Amino acid sequence: MPAPTTPSRKLDNDVLFKGVICALIGAIILLAPYFSRSSDVQDLMRQAYIVGWFALALGIAFLVQFAVRYKKRRELDAETANYLEQNTPRNKSKRRDK
């Protein structure tokens, strides 16, 4: 059974989604002049290169933010699991016996 979605995980997934979408938009804008057949569209897309770079940079920033959050969450989950393992009633009784 999958773990319930917490608000922090939902926010992390939103950041990931925004990062992927922004990076895709930026890449499409930057690559469009090379694949367009119409010279008018090529000129238009070449003029929008600043927007393309901005969207690509923003998307990468969102993806880096997601990676940092994901790493912190994994570390916290590992610490929590370790704490719970050490403090179960079974383990407490073993400690008293020693």
Side-chain angles (χ1 to χ4, degrees), residues 5-19 62 65-67 69-70 73:
T5 304
T6 61
S8 64
R9 288 184 187 212
K10 185 175 181 336
L11 289 174
D12 291 348
N13 290 338
D14 288 345
V15 169
L16 175 63
F17 180 74
K18 289 175 187 177
F62 277 133
Q65 184 181 19
F66 170 77
R69 286 181 174 194
Y70 183 76
R73 185 175 26 134

Side-chain angles (χ1 to χ4, degrees), residues 2 16-17 27 34 42 47 63 67 85 87 90:
L16 175 63
F17 180 74
Y34 302 105
Q42 287 177 351
Q47 291 174 3
L63 292 173
E85 182 181 313
N87 292 306
R90 185 186 77 218

Side-chain angles (χ1 to χ4, degrees), residues 2 4 15 22 24 26 28 34 37-38 47 49 51 55 57-59 61 66-67 72-73 82-84 86 89 93:
V15 169
C22 285
L24 280 174
I28 289 170
Y34 302 105
R37 295 182 184 180
S38 169
Q47 291 174 3
Y49 75 95
V51 174
L58 186 63
F66 170 77
K72 284 182 183 178
R73 185 175 26 134
N82 189 20
Y83 175 80
L84 291 174
Q86 291 176 354
S93 65

Side-chain angles (χ1 to χ4, degrees), residues 31-43 45-46:
L31 295 174
Y34 302 105
F35 294 102
S36 178
R37 295 182 184 180
S38 169
S39 63
D40 292 335
V41 174
Q42 287 177 351
D43 291 338
M45 295 310 273
R46 280 192 182 106

